[in-house]
Amino acid sequence: MPPAVRFGVNYTPSEGWFHHWLDFDLDSVRADLDSIAALGLDHVRVFPLWPYFQPNRTLIRPRAVEQLVALVDAAAERGLDVNVDGLQGHLSSFDFLPAWTRTWHRRNLFTDPEVIEGQATYLRTLAAALADRPNFLGMTLGNEVNQFSAGPHPDPDRASEAQVDAWLERMLAACAEGAPGRLHLHAEYDATWYQDDMPFTPAQAARHGAVTAVHSWVFNGTAQRHGRTSVPTEHHAAYLVELSKAWSDDPHRPVWLQEVGAPAPLIPPEHAAAFTAATVANALDCPDLWGVTWWCSHDVSRDLADFPELEYGLGLLTNDRRPKDTARVLAEAAGRTHAPAAPRTTALVVPDDPAVRSRCAPGGPVFDAYFRLVADGTRPTTVLDTRADDKDHLAARGITEVVTPEQVLPTP
């Protein structure tokens, strides 16, 4: 029997947001974790801010690491497992990079040998500090660090696909050195799947680390094009889960829906619960789903300035820890027993070449063909064009029919 699907939340502290590390209050954290545990969720993803923890390349603050351990222990007391993101990196439109990588010390995050050594030491240190905690799931290298490697970032750290590949291997190895045998992974925003010049590629996402992580946000053009109740909007998270499987060498590699939320105004607050219910139900119809981790736990306080408007209301709970309708929807899903999803037997062909991955993006032929199939009642998955005739690969995934976008979409 496959393991049960996990349900969790990305932990956004109710007091001080992620700046809470500067004035760490364990009692406040405990109260936040109580409100999360009360929903029946089983894990949280937490975010040490990199410049606060490693303000100098050779200084990892012991007190900050102790506070992270205390948070993980407090989660354990409430029955919550913890995944820790390391290189923050980028959160809710703000960049958090240490001074030793910027301005007068400007060095490439992915290629500079000294920066790489500092990053590896940091990740290894955090992992080692938590290695003996039974509720420590493992490390995520960082939150959507691919956004630093290409546009639309205003000051990207350019790197080649080969350099990113080497960086991923080094960082994941550092996590494994610190905490052997844990669930270590990396996670990017959807430019990895959709943007032709992104050096973080679908193949890397689906082949490096213990699981594949996908982050689903329908403000990427999906909801703008199709509306809040459309098939593409309500199935976007499931699409990314199934799209990722085309590049995996393991026919049953777990996929973690690590970030998904209901962003206003595209998903108005009064419709957020319905969107949440549809998104979760459709994701649960994907075989080999590791878990669903909602963004996020608590709203951002209106006392904090300069966030994009949508960020203030993404929480399952208000800033004073009251559950919203979205929280009740996720709690209900977490409280049910879910039978393993049946295999998806129809596979849509996608190009292996990352230079044309925009064909999979909103408005592209793969995207449109996939959702035409869904609208017609099919439960599609995807397969690379280089594997479309590989009978052993198709059989291992339970695929009995292969179709191309051209076969699905109407001729103009």
Side-chain angles (χ1 to χ4, degrees), residues 315-337:
L316 293 173
L317 302 116
T318 62
N319 192 238
D320 56 359
R321 305 188 181 101
R322 289 179 291 107
K324 303 179 189 176
D325 289 343
T326 48
R328 297 183 183 95
V329 167
L330 197 66
E332 289 170 4
R336 294 193 298 267
T337 300

Side-chain angles (χ1 to χ4, degrees), residues 329-382:
V329 167
L330 197 66
E332 289 170 4
R336 294 193 298 267
T337 300
H338 303 279
R344 293 185 171 221
T345 58
T346 298
L348 181 66
V349 173
V350 302
D352 193 6
D353 182 1
V356 295
R357 76 191 98 167
S358 58
R359 290 173 58 84
C360 301
V366 172
F367 185 98
D368 288 348
Y370 182 95
F371 290 111
R372 173 60 62 91
L373 289 168
V374 174
D376 289 343
T378 302
R379 299 172 57 250
T381 187
T382 60

Side-chain angles (χ1 to χ4, degrees), residues 40-41 58 62 75 80 156 160 183-184 233 236 266 299 309 313 379:
L41 305 180
T58 57
L80 295 167
S160 68
L183 192 84
H184 302 306
T233 298
H236 182 261
L266 294 168
D299 284 346
E309 181 61 28
R379 299 172 57 250

